[in-house]
Amino acid sequence: MVDEGKIKEAVKMIIEAVGEDPTREGLLETPDRIAKMYSEIFSGIEESPKKHLSKVFTVESDDLVIERDINFYSMCEHHFLPFFGKAHIAYVPNGKVAGLSKLARTLEIFAKRPQLQERLTSQIADALMENLNCKGVMIIVEAEHLCMSMRGIKKPGSKTTTMVIRGIFKEDYKLQQHVLNIINFKRIEDRA
């Protein structure tokens, strides 16, 4: 559970450390605002994807399921700056499917933690494999990292792409390519 009191004290110290006055009108409520914000954006720390992925529906086929262009926001654990983008989730069921909103909720649980994009991508894949007993999953995450855009190298608009494959996707290059084609088809449609 997020300790908002500690966050308020820490933020007040940061305000002082950067040479500002924490009692100045514009900054007076900043520690409270940041504490509340951190409670929201780090709410996934205490949550398990099992809660959402335990509600499943029986299916008779093992046809590919893809949910693409799922927007997300997360916080880089190295600089505590946001990274944000889209995730694409593909899986081949093994008799059970989750509700589509549950896939997005799974992403949100892992995104609402201090995070690395590489870990985020793996955690989604592993949660689906474990909780849905999928035949295979393929997760692609594309994100812009503010730690690269607004500081350091300062390259706004640059994106990082991570991809994780599990199960039958590892051996089936055609299936991998099929998913990539579907995701890219959407992008071509958007540009038209």
Side-chain angles (χ1 to χ4, degrees), residues 4 9 14 33 42 48 59 66 81-83 91 94 102-103 120 122 130-131 144 148 150 163 165 170-171 180 191:
E4 289 188 12
E9 288 302 312
I14 290 170
R33 288 185 198 105
F42 293 125
S48 168
V59 292
I66 300 176
L81 285 172
F83 68 96
Y91 73 99
N94 192 12
K102 306 310 182 196
L103 300 177
L120 172 66
S122 292
E130 180 182 325
N131 291 285
E144 181 172 348
M148 273 190 60
M150 67 180 285
M163 183 171 80
I165 55 175
K170 281 192 171 206
E171 299 93 35
L180 292 172
R191 286 185 226 137

Side-chain angles (χ1 to χ4, degrees), residues 20-31:
E20 263 290 359
D21 176 7
T23 64
R24 184 168 64 77
E25 180 184 16
L27 294 172
L28 195 57
E29 295 178 22
T30 298

Side-chain angles (χ1 to χ4, degrees), residues 67-69 86-90 138-140 142 183 187:
E67 189 166 347
R68 62 184 182 202
D69 296 326
K86 294 182 183 295
H88 315 283
I89 298 173
M138 183 170 168
I139 310 296
I140 302 168
E142 303 169 287
I183 292 167
R187 292 223 176 88

Side-chain angles (χ1 to χ4, degrees), residues 5-22:
K6 280 186 178 179
I7 293 171
K8 290 176 192 177
E9 288 302 312
V11 171
K12 184 178 175 189
M13 290 174 62
I14 290 170
I15 291 170
E16 290 170 348
V18 299
E20 263 290 359
D21 176 7

Side-chain angles (χ1 to χ4, degrees), residues 25-126:
E25 180 184 16
L27 294 172
L28 195 57
E29 295 178 22
T30 298
D32 292 328
R33 288 185 198 105
I34 291 177
K36 285 182 177 77
M37 176 187 69
Y38 276 14
S39 286
E40 179 185 340
I41 64 177
F42 293 125
S43 62
I45 292 172
E46 298 292 324
E47 208 174 342
S48 168
K50 187 175 198 132
K51 170 183 162 186
H52 300 291
L53 294 174
S54 63
K55 176 70 173 164
V56 294
F57 305 95
T58 303
V59 292
E60 293 180 19
S61 68
D62 59 358
D63 294 327
L64 180 63
V65 176
I66 300 176
E67 189 166 347
R68 62 184 182 202
D69 296 326
I70 310 166
N71 291 314
F72 75 93
Y73 298 88
S74 191
M75 289 287 269
C76 166
E77 68 182 35
H78 295 149
H79 298 97
F80 263 45
L81 285 172
F83 68 96
F84 57 93
K86 294 182 183 295
H88 315 283
I89 298 173
Y91 73 99
V92 177
N94 192 12
K96 303 280 184 196
V97 294
L100 296 176
S101 69
K102 306 310 182 196
L103 300 177
R105 286 188 193 282
T106 300
L107 164 64
E108 284 297 303
I109 287 169
F110 293 120
K112 289 188 173 191
R113 301 174 178 186
Q115 197 54 280
L116 296 174
Q117 182 175 335
E118 297 87 345
R119 183 187 311 121
L120 172 66
T121 311
S122 292
Q123 286 174 327
I124 298 164
D126 293 341

